[in-house]
Amino acid sequence: MPQIKIAVLGSGKGSNFRAILSAIMSGHLPVRPVLAVSDVPGAGILTLADNLGIPTMVIREEKYRTRLSEDVESALVGELRAANVDLIVLAGYMRLVKSPLLDAFPRRIINIHPSLLPRFPGFEAWKQALEAKATTTGCTVHFVDSGIDTGEIIAQSEVPIYPGDTPETLHARIQEAEHQLYPEVLARFAKPGVF
Ligand code: GRF
């Protein structure tokens, strides 16, 4: 079966990448990760990729903490183009994506966010949901645009909030939903004719 090529970008522990890899290895997802990129040396996604022989790239950004300098992001675009990626999958990537990358891959960059957008965009969305005394929250996969979690929504999954929830228990429940949703969304992109 033909496979689409993805690059995965992440800054954290990499549990979403792990879920995507599990779906691929179980034979359910015709997707081939061709590059794992992180702005954090030693990030989980780099270790996961290294263990499977998937090429990795560490972004070195010294000027900004919440985005990349234009030249650094342009170099990243060069690597992504060289790897011939169909889709760029953000999985816990903690920087804003700016125009070099957005312009190079229109409607080809997706992200997963731990709330039902447009509610609770931004940092620690599960804490925002608890503070707002919401009774449900969830996760959203969306296209990435220049805003913070504002791009077109592709799919969502709802998660209940229980009275005794702490930030940790709620975040863990949302992540379980993420680990289902992200592979499902990738399967849609992997259908013949999408790219
Ligand atoms: C996820 O909760 C995702 O929603 C958010 O960052 C977290 C990444 O987790 N954007 P992991 O690194 O995939 O475990």
Side-chain angles (χ1 to χ4, degrees):
M1 195 190 267
Q3 294 173 316
I4 63 159
K5 292 190 199 137
I6 64 166
V8 180
L9 271 68
S11 312
K13 65 183 191 287
S15 69
N16 279 284
F17 186 37
R18 185 189 298 277
I20 291 165
L21 290 170
S22 301
I24 294 170
M25 284 186 234
S26 69
H28 292 125
L29 192 58
V31 164
R32 181 147 63 98
V34 291
L35 187 62
V37 182
S38 185
D39 55 331
V40 178
I45 71 158
L46 299 175
T47 313
L48 286 165
D50 272 340
N51 290 341
L52 292 168
I54 298 164
T56 60
M57 175 186 173
V58 178
I59 297 167
R60 307 217 180 267
E61 170 61 56
E62 276 154 22
K63 202 156 157 205
Y64 302 109
R65 292 183 58 189
T66 58
R67 65 184 179 96
L68 299 179
S69 313
E70 202 167 320
D71 57 331
V72 174
E73 198 172 85
S74 296
L76 172 60
V77 167
E79 294 290 331
L80 293 164
R81 284 205 167 119
N84 212 3
V85 300
D86 297 302
L87 189 68
I88 297 162
V89 176
L90 307 190
Y93 177 66
M94 296 304 285
R95 293 176 191 259
L96 286 172
V97 177
K98 308 303 276 185
S99 54
L101 190 49
L102 288 171
D103 293 349
F105 293 93
R107 286 179 77 80
R108 283 177 185 244
I109 311 173
I110 62 174
N111 179 46
I112 191 157
H113 179 78
S115 77
L116 295 176
L117 291 170
R119 288 201 90 188
F120 313 130
F123 196 53
E124 296 189 328
W126 59 93
K127 281 194 189 161
Q128 297 182 46
L130 284 177
E131 278 156 20
K133 306 214 182 313
T135 54
T136 59
T137 184
C139 54
T140 302
V141 177
H142 62 94
F143 286 108
V144 173
D145 66 10
S146 58
I148 298 178
D149 306 319
T150 51
E152 183 186 325
I153 291 170
I154 299 166
Q156 295 185 305
S157 171
E158 194 171 309
V159 170
I161 302 179
Y162 299 125
D165 266 333
T166 62
E168 292 72 30
T169 59
L170 181 56
H171 189 207
R173 194 174 310 117
I174 294 170
Q175 285 226 295
E176 275 178 37
E178 291 182 342
H179 300 160
Q180 294 286 323
L181 186 65
Y182 227 174
E184 279 169 28
V185 168
L186 289 180
R188 291 192 211 171
F189 281 96
K191 289 214 167 99
V194 174
F195 292 115

